[in-house]
Structures are given as C-alpha cells and as structure tokens.
Amino acid sequence: MTQRLGILISGETMLRLPKRNGQKHVTTTSNPTIVGVHDWAFKRAHRYDTLLVDLEQQRPLDRLPDRDATSVANWLTGNRAIRIVSRDRAGIDTEGITRGAPQTIQVADRWYLLKHLGDAIERALSRCQRPIREVARSLNHEHACAALPAIESNASGVATTSRAKEQQARLARYRTVMRHHQSAMAIRAIARLTALDRRTVRHWINAGGFPERAQRPPAASKLDPYRA
C-alpha cells in the first residue's frame, strides 16, 4: 500500500487509474541511449504488453500492444541512438533486440543477475551440506563468530574423514566377500548375503586385490578463476 496525502492507495489502484483515463502511451524522451525492455502482464498467462523504459531518466518511454519480437524490433529500428538494452531472459526480447538494434549491447536485467547469482551460490553450498552441518555442530555459540574464517578448512577435513570412513567400510565388505568366496560359497549367495550386486561381487573376486576407487578430478567451472 502507498500513502498519498493521508490516503492509502494500493498498487493495483495506481495502475488502474491511468488505464481508466485512456492513457495508453506516455511522452517519450528524445534520443534515449539506455533502454529497458520488459513484459507487462495485464492478465498473467493470457495477455501481455511490452513496456520500454528510459533507464537513465527512470521513466517509461512507450508501451507496445503485444509481446512480439517484430514489435520490439520495429520500435528499436526507429531509435538508433540506443546503445544498451536491458532485458529479461525471454527469447522474444532477445530476438527483437537483435533484429531491431544489432548495434546495441544487451545486458541482463539487474533482478535476473541477482537471481542467478543467488541460484549459483545455493548450488555451490548444496554440494557442501554435510561438511557445513558437521562444522556447525562442532562450533559452540560463543566461538561461532571467531571461527568463521576456519570453516572452509574444517569442512575440507570433515570431508576427508568421511571419505576415509567410507573407504574402511568398503574394505570390510570386500574382506567379507573374499572370506565367503574362499569357503566355496556361490557368487549369487554372497551377493544376497552382503546385499551387493552380483557384478560387484564377481568384479571384486576377479580383481586379485582390493579395488581402490578412482578419485575423479573436480569438474571445471566458469567460477574457477574467481574462487580465490
């Protein structure tokens, strides 16, 4: 809600009043150079317009009666002074800007930049959930703030300990398989007894020794140059 002169006005009312007065277009700024292109939903999933905004003057420029690449291209063709266009991730806007203003630089809308940054951070942290929980449990409330710089190194140590425990458990299962094999137990029976796949049991028996699990190198990421 917005309060003007002591009167509470909802956002819907502020949008409805210009429409009631028949104001379909606004006064355009001469020769805008940085423009934002955004979808304008009158009825979500049913009716959309396109809103063009002068981002330097922070004011609307025009409203197109549809959401169509050709309409965007035609509007931009008549405004050759534009150098930068901010847009969302919709393919319609990308196509219209490329066709109508190929000389411009297309940039992602600030909201989408922050949204994608948040998603990337969430994905990165989700891969470290167990070490983070282990470290968090190991810290008491009094030393939490002081220990924050050490979280990364502690998380690495916890992950190493976890891998060592998994390796020991795997070695114990291998020894169980080999003990039953030496007692002439069938592969099917060993698999059923140890809850392992028969192919795994056969591979271990034929390996001639405990098969160490190969360490996969971490996958390359676009963020690698910025990790430091």
Side-chain angles (χ1 to χ4, degrees):
M1 303 290 285
T2 303
Q3 188 169 8
R4 289 283 188 174
L5 301 177
I7 302 175
L8 289 176
I9 302 175
S10 70
E12 288 77 6
T13 300
M14 296 180 67
L15 295 174
R16 186 170 60 251
L17 290 176
K19 291 166 57 180
R20 180 184 300 172
N21 295 332
Q23 184 178 355
K24 296 184 179 181
H25 297 279
V26 296
T27 303
T28 60
T29 305
S30 59
N31 298 325
T33 58
I34 304 177
V35 172
V37 179
H38 304 277
D39 295 334
W40 174 277
F42 281 95
K43 187 176 182 182
R44 190 172 297 277
H46 291 279
R47 182 187 171 192
Y48 289 88
D49 284 4
T50 300
L51 184 66
L52 297 114
V53 181
D54 185 331
L55 296 181
E56 291 181 294
Q57 300 295 326
Q58 298 186 5
R59 58 179 296 175
L61 289 169
D62 206 346
R63 177 165 61 89
L64 308 180
D66 52 32
R67 185 175 60 168
D68 183 76
T70 300
S71 298
V72 173
N74 291 339
W75 192 93
L76 292 172
T77 300
N79 295 269
R80 287 298 182 180
I82 299 174
R83 297 182 294 104
I84 300 174
V85 180
S86 171
R87 56 169 175 78
D88 59 19
R89 313 301 279 186
I92 293 176
D93 293 339
T94 305
E95 179 185 352
I97 297 168
T98 302
R99 286 164 48 188
Q103 80 283 357
T104 62
I105 299 174
Q106 298 186 35
V107 299
D109 182 272
R110 180 170 56 183
W111 186 90
Y112 284 94
L113 290 176
L114 295 176
K115 174 68 165 57
H116 294 164
L117 175 61
D119 291 344
I121 293 174
E122 183 176 358
R123 288 194 300 270
L125 293 178
S126 67
R127 294 193 291 268
C128 306
Q129 287 185 11
R130 184 166 61 180
I132 290 175
R133 285 195 298 267
E134 293 290 342
V135 172
R137 282 194 288 266
S138 69
L139 298 175
N140 57 45
H141 180 72
E142 292 75 15
H143 297 93
C145 293
L148 282 177
I151 284 181
E152 184 175 353
S153 60
N154 289 344
S156 177
V158 170
T160 302
T161 303
S162 177
R163 286 194 297 269
K165 290 180 179 179
E166 292 176 0
Q167 185 79 342
Q168 292 174 1
R170 189 166 178 265
L171 177 59
R173 289 196 299 271
Y174 170 78
R175 289 172 175 170
T176 301
V177 168
M178 297 307 297
R179 185 170 63 252
H180 291 312
H181 173 65
Q182 291 169 1
S183 65
M185 183 179 290
I187 290 178
R188 183 188 297 271
I190 296 175
R192 183 168 57 250
L193 183 64
T194 58
L196 291 169
D197 188 271
R198 279 181 293 171
R199 289 173 296 182
T200 300
V201 173
R202 185 177 294 107
H203 171 67
W204 285 4
I205 291 174
N206 297 330
F210 178 59
E212 295 284 351
R213 199 170 263 172
Q215 295 293 329
R216 295 182 179 178
S221 169
K222 294 182 180 179
L223 298 179
D224 288 341
Y226 311 100
R227 290 189 183 280

